[in-house]
Amino acid sequence: MSAFGKNGEVTLLPKEFSKLSKEQLKTIGPLFNKTKIELEQAINNKREAIRAKSYKKLDLEKLDLEPAEIKNRQGHLHPITQFENQTAEIFKGLGFQQFDAPHIDSDYYNFESLNIPKDHPARDLWDTLYIEDRASAHIDAKEKNYHPGELLLRTHTSNSQVRIMEKYKPPIRMMIIDRCFRYENLDARHEHTFDQFELVYIDKTLSMANLQYLSEYFLKAIFGKDMKARLRPKYYPFTEPSAGIDGLCIFCKGKGCKVCGGMGWLELAGAGMIHPQVLKNGGIDPNIYSGIAWGVGPGRMSMIKFGIEDVRLFNSGDLKFLERF
Ligand SMILES: [Zn+2]
């Protein structure tokens, strides 16, 4: 409780004076008034002294009110974007154009049209995020090529393949660079959101020889002219034959090291001749035309190129990591 102020002990004290006799009041009244004035005076003096002292202190400290220099921070493109731009430039030079397909797509474009029917065991290769709410999907039911069915977040850029065939007549040279989504257990090599780069190349006389040439052309452009590519048999439901594309290990130049597991080669891309059924689904006659589908993961390629050990760093927003590029 304070001494002064509205409910202060000193302020309220006179209320008790009614209990005093007239004689007592004659002595106590003036004494009270005198003491009160002296106390107030003392408090005021102390207050002034403190104020003067702090002004003096402020005077001594030189106040630097000049605006601090703001450090100019130069931003730059994300390493994956840098890689994708470089890749797009390489294939633009070979006459490929960019194509966009929806992130939220129907089961038809993501699986069925690619020769992966419902309940086909190959579906296990793609852990898929399905969408229950149709209203959230940006697919127009009046669209000419609308196919009803379950909606999902596309698991690969291959959902563009039949869309491209429906839209353009061959010869076709298209490329897609975009995000894909999987229901993954995350670790240093798996992300739920990642980018893919894919080519769809359809013409009359295409063969595996063109595929080999394209692969080596691309790998040389990214890793330098000493790079070599080799094809290895692989299985994809939408290509026949299918190939895994290996590049000469950039760390040991083919001698064999820890990164390539002593093989001298690293798996860098996947590709194949577009399956005749997929061409048919896109309205293209497989007896006249053949096609190449070819794809790389910009994340995996960047990890190898820049020696990054954890794929999760790319989407982490960690500036210390991003400033390295
Ligand atoms: Zn190696």
Side-chain angles (χ1 to χ4, degrees):
M1 202 178 201
S2 60
F4 295 95
K6 205 172 148 199
N7 294 311
E9 263 177 289
V10 178
T11 315
L12 295 177
L13 200 58
K15 286 192 178 172
E16 308 289 321
F17 290 177
S18 57
K19 293 173 191 165
L20 300 171
S21 66
K22 274 191 179 175
E23 286 303 309
Q24 285 172 315
L25 198 58
K26 260 186 195 168
T27 329
I28 289 172
L31 188 63
F32 171 79
N33 284 335
K34 189 170 167 263
T35 314
K36 194 182 168 202
I37 290 166
E38 276 174 11
L39 275 172
E40 282 172 343
Q41 199 89 53
I43 289 169
N44 263 339
N45 290 346
K46 189 72 185 166
R47 193 177 277 151
E48 287 301 320
I50 290 169
R51 216 171 262 167
K53 204 175 159 191
S54 50
Y55 280 143
K56 210 174 161 192
K57 202 175 161 203
L58 274 180
D59 256 3
L60 288 173
E61 281 171 11
K62 200 183 167 204
L63 271 186
D64 184 10
L65 295 176
E66 288 296 308
E69 193 192 337
I70 296 166
K71 203 179 156 198
N72 240 337
R73 212 165 178 170
Q74 181 96 44
H76 64 73
L77 292 174
H78 190 279
I80 298 273
T81 310
Q82 290 178 33
F83 179 84
E84 289 174 349
N85 289 349
Q86 190 190 357
T87 306
E89 280 306 311
I90 292 166
F91 287 106
K92 222 188 275 174
L94 295 174
F96 285 84
Q97 283 180 289
Q98 286 200 44
F99 185 85
D100 273 332
H103 288 179
I104 298 174
D105 209 349
S106 63
D107 187 277
Y108 175 77
Y109 284 113
N110 196 79
F111 288 124
E112 275 184 62
S113 70
L114 296 171
N115 207 25
I116 317 168
K118 279 205 165 57
D119 305 321
H120 192 285
R123 285 209 180 193
D124 293 347
L125 297 172
W126 295 273
D127 293 315
T128 310
L129 291 156
Y130 288 93
I131 293 170
E132 282 178 13
D133 180 13
R134 293 197 62 85
S136 68
H138 301 287
I139 292 180
D140 186 357
K142 284 177 228 144
E143 204 181 301
K144 201 174 114 210
N145 299 314
Y146 177 73
H147 294 270
E150 212 162 359
L151 289 175
L152 44 81
L153 290 179
R154 65 155 173 213
T155 55
H156 46 193
T157 44
S158 304
N159 72 326
S160 61
Q161 288 191 14
V162 167
R163 286 178 177 278
I164 288 170
M165 296 176 209
E166 285 171 343
K167 198 164 179 182
Y168 300 101
K169 284 193 164 56
I172 292 169
R173 286 184 193 204
M174 283 290 167
M175 57 178 157
I176 311 98
I177 320 171
D178 212 340
R179 293 214 141 169
C180 305
F181 312 89
R182 302 247 176 111
Y183 182 60
E184 290 280 8
N185 281 324
L186 306 189
D187 61 30
R189 293 187 64 182
H190 296 90
E191 256 286 21
H192 52 71
T193 303
F194 57 96
D195 283 30
Q196 273 193 349
F197 177 91
E198 180 158 343
L199 293 179
V200 175
Y201 182 15
I202 300 169
D203 211 332
K204 275 181 179 159
T205 53
L206 295 181
S207 72
M208 291 295 274
N210 299 86
L211 201 158
Q212 166 73 26
Y213 176 81
L214 266 182
S215 304
E216 197 157 287
Y217 181 87
F218 170 73
L219 294 181
K220 279 183 193 295
I222 297 290
F223 293 109
K225 61 179 172 25
D226 294 337
M227 183 48 120
K228 286 190 175 76
R230 72 171 188 188
L231 304 185
R232 202 166 22 79
K234 198 159 179 181
Y235 171 73
Y236 299 111
F238 37 83
T239 45
E240 183 61 42
S242 306
I245 294 153
D246 294 346
L248 204 62
C249 175
I250 60 165
F251 303 101
C252 64
K253 307 276 179 219
K255 288 190 192 98
C257 69
K258 225 165 74 180
V259 182
C260 60
M263 303 294 287
W265 297 85
L266 289 170
E267 182 175 355
L268 296 176
M273 302 305 294
I274 297 176
H275 197 286
Q277 186 56 49
V278 178
L279 289 174
K280 270 188 213 162
N281 293 343
I284 290 171
D285 185 347
N287 295 314
I288 302 171
Y289 291 100
S290 50
I292 286 172
W294 187 98
V296 296
R300 172 154 169 77
M301 292 289 278
S302 303
M303 282 171 83
I304 291 168
K305 195 175 174 185
F306 302 119
I308 296 158
E309 281 174 4
D310 193 330
V311 68
R312 292 168 294 188
L313 283 166
F314 287 123
N315 291 338
S316 68
D318 181 346
L319 283 179
K320 270 193 197 130
F321 167 71
L322 295 172
E323 278 170 352
R324 280 165 50 191
F325 302 94

